[in-house]
């Protein structure tokens, strides 16, 4: 047992020992109620490393007395998935509860591997519990995601981590025998980054590095033993999304310095520069949009250059693009317009296209008045003719509303000259 890491020796066996995630396992909360009812549905635990995803799955299986099969997406493929499902099927008896299949790092499963789970989850051969550090919306296929609830786990709070340190020193069979004196916990907490496993690994490292009549835990000792300040950015974890989100929001907020800082965090942490370039393309269309249409052209050129030259030189066009986007005028009118159109389509369904706008390639269609009375805009002054293009029942719909910037002011003027519905809606 002494060969086991401290984090493994201290792994909780029940919910009373489990630290954190009270929004899920606290009294009256969703996972505790599910366990207490004995009715378990498939779910995915999404959260950063070291917050108790695997532990929680093991506790659920133990409390419900379910057979527990474990697969790691790193080392398992379709073959291993099918073997576990066949084993689960062969061991099922009448009225016995479904076994639990726990898949760690489920986001690493390919589409084919995830597809192989569908039938078993749908038929109830197994109850799936997946664990992921990545956003399931991006990494888990829709058919599987629709069959699972997603529960978000949070980084552990300072009070949780302090409790964990105290518990380790007081309860661990080896640490409680050592003359440990805790004078400061700040460095321990800071370096752990909300990761319980990392916290216990650091604690064990610092304790094992000392001997004598007193083992001191303080900030200076922790920093000395770690020797360096590890970067908090984790390109394989939740930070991947937090930092890119901060960069995009800084661009949207027209702060080039903050945007550059967050991009530097990503580059220094080993992020793929093409990922950053792709997100800049999205920002150019979503946040700058029609206020500066050249932004999309520059972002596209940046992506092409980054793809061609790679790091470390790619940092320069990325920097240029970030500064350009952050300092450009902003408009999300195109973003709002398409979302408004999509919302109306979902609400109204397939409204009939007016006959005069329909194509008429056959004689029968012409006889049915397809294309009749259509007015060809280029035959009219200014290449414009006042004709209703929307279905009659939707004729008053307006999705695009020009925003307050120089480029869209010109668009607004043209729209007011053309359409009555814009003359009252658009600010002059």
């Amino acid at each position: 047992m002494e060969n086991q890491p401290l984090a493994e020796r201290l792994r909780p066996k029940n919910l009373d020992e489990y630290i954190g995630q009270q929004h899920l396992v606290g009294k009256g909360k969703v996972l505790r109620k599910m366990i207490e009812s004995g009715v378990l549905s498939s779910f995915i635990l999404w959260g950063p490393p070291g917050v108790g995803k695997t532990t929680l799955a093991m506790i659920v299986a133990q409390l419900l007395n379910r057979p527990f099969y474990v697969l790691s997406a790193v080392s398992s493929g379709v073959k291993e998935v099918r073997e576990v499902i066949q084993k689960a099927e062969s061991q099922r008896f009448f009225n016995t509860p479904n076994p639990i299949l726990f898949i760690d790092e489920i986001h690493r499963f390919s589409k084919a591997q995830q597809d192989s789970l569908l039938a078993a989850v749908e038929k109830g051969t197994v109850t799936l519990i997946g664990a992921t550090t990545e956003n399931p919306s991006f990494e888990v296929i829709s058919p599987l995601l629709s069959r699972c609830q997603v529960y978000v786990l949070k980084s552990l709070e300072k009070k949780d981590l302090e409790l964990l340190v105290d518990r380790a020193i007081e309860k661990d069979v080896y640490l409680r025998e050592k003359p440990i004196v805790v004078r400061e916990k700040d460095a321990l907490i800071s370096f752990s980054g909300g990761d319980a496993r990392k916290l216990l690994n650091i604690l064990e490292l610092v304790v094992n590095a000392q001997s004598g009549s007193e083992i001191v835990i303080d900030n200076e000792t922790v920093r000395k033993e770690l020797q360096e300040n590890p970067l908090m950015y984790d390109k394989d974890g939740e930070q991947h999304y937090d930092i890119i989100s901060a960069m995009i929001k800084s661009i949207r907020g027209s702060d080039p310095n903050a945007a550059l800082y967050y991009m530097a965090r990503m580059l220094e942490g080993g992020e793929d520069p093409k990922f950053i370039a792709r997100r800049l393309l999205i920002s150019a269309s979503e946040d700058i949009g029609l206020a500066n249409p050249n932004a999309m052209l520059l972002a596209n050129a940046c992506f092409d250059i980054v793809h061609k030259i790679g790091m470390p030189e790619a940092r320069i066009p990325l920097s240029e693009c970030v500064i350009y986007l952050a300092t450009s005028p902003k408009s999300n009118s195109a973003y709002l317009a398409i979302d408004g159109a999509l919302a109306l389509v979902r609400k109204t369904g397939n409204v009939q296209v007016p006959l005069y706008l329909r194509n008429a390639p056959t004689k029968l269609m012409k006889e049915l008045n397809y294309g009749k009375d259509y007015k060809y805009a280029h035959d009219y002054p200014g290449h414009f003719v006042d004709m209703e293009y929307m279905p009659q029942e939707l004729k008053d719909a307006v999705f695009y509303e020009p925003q307050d910037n120089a480029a869209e002011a010109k668009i607004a003027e043209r729209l007011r000259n053309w359409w009555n519905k814009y003359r009252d809606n658009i600010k002059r």
Side-chain angles (χ1 to χ4, degrees), residues 196-265:
R197 187 185 305 108
K198 185 182 290 186
L199 174 74
L200 294 176
N201 288 343
I202 295 172
L203 175 61
E204 191 169 32
L205 172 69
V206 174
V207 169
N208 290 340
Q210 301 181 60
S211 59
S213 60
E214 188 176 79
I215 295 174
V216 176
I217 305 292
D218 60 18
N219 295 341
E220 183 180 354
T221 305
V222 170
R223 293 192 185 100
K224 179 182 175 183
E225 292 302 327
L226 289 179
Q227 294 182 339
E228 62 180 5
N229 187 349
L231 290 167
M232 286 300 299
Y233 181 76
D234 177 9
K235 66 176 180 173
D236 296 321
E238 186 182 31
Q239 289 287 328
H240 175 81
Y241 293 105
D242 288 348
I243 302 297
I244 192 68
S245 174
M247 187 192 79
I248 295 301
K249 288 171 181 171
S250 299
I251 291 173
R252 185 179 299 142
S254 301
D255 187 338
N257 299 301
L260 285 170
Y261 165 75
Y262 290 118
M263 186 174 72
R265 288 269 300 269

Side-chain angles (χ1 to χ4, degrees), residues 207-374:
V207 169
N208 290 340
Q210 301 181 60
S211 59
S213 60
E214 188 176 79
I215 295 174
V216 176
I217 305 292
D218 60 18
N219 295 341
E220 183 180 354
T221 305
V222 170
R223 293 192 185 100
K224 179 182 175 183
E225 292 302 327
L226 289 179
Q227 294 182 339
E228 62 180 5
N229 187 349
L231 290 167
M232 286 300 299
Y233 181 76
D234 177 9
K235 66 176 180 173
D236 296 321
E238 186 182 31
Q239 289 287 328
H240 175 81
Y241 293 105
D242 288 348
I243 302 297
I244 192 68
S245 174
M247 187 192 79
I248 295 301
K249 288 171 181 171
S250 299
I251 291 173
R252 185 179 299 142
S254 301
D255 187 338
N257 299 301
L260 285 170
Y261 165 75
Y262 290 118
M263 186 174 72
R265 288 269 300 269
M266 288 185 284
L267 292 174
E268 192 67 14
E271 182 59 81
D272 182 353
K274 293 192 291 294
F275 169 76
I276 299 173
R278 282 194 294 271
R279 295 308 297 260
L280 293 178
L281 268 169
I282 296 169
S283 177
S285 58
E286 179 179 342
D287 295 315
I288 287 84
L290 290 165
N292 180 8
N294 287 331
M296 192 182 298
L297 299 177
L298 188 138
N300 191 57
C302 174
F303 180 85
D304 188 43
I305 294 168
V306 167
H307 185 74
K308 288 176 179 176
I309 67 175
M311 288 292 287
E313 290 81 3
R315 75 191 189 284
I316 303 167
L318 283 171
S319 174
E320 180 181 345
C321 187
V322 162
I323 294 169
Y324 184 85
L325 297 183
T327 57
S328 283
K330 306 296 188 297
S331 172
N332 66 343
S333 59
Y335 169 84
L336 295 174
I338 185 57
D339 279 2
L342 287 169
L344 185 63
V345 168
R346 291 168 188 144
K347 179 180 178 180
T348 59
N350 295 324
V351 180
Q352 293 294 312
V353 175
L355 285 175
Y356 53 85
L357 292 182
R358 299 187 194 183
N359 194 24
T362 69
K363 181 181 178 182
L364 176 60
M365 290 178 172
K366 291 178 181 177
E367 290 174 352
L368 293 175
N369 291 331
Y370 280 36
K372 184 180 180 182
D373 297 328
Y374 169 67

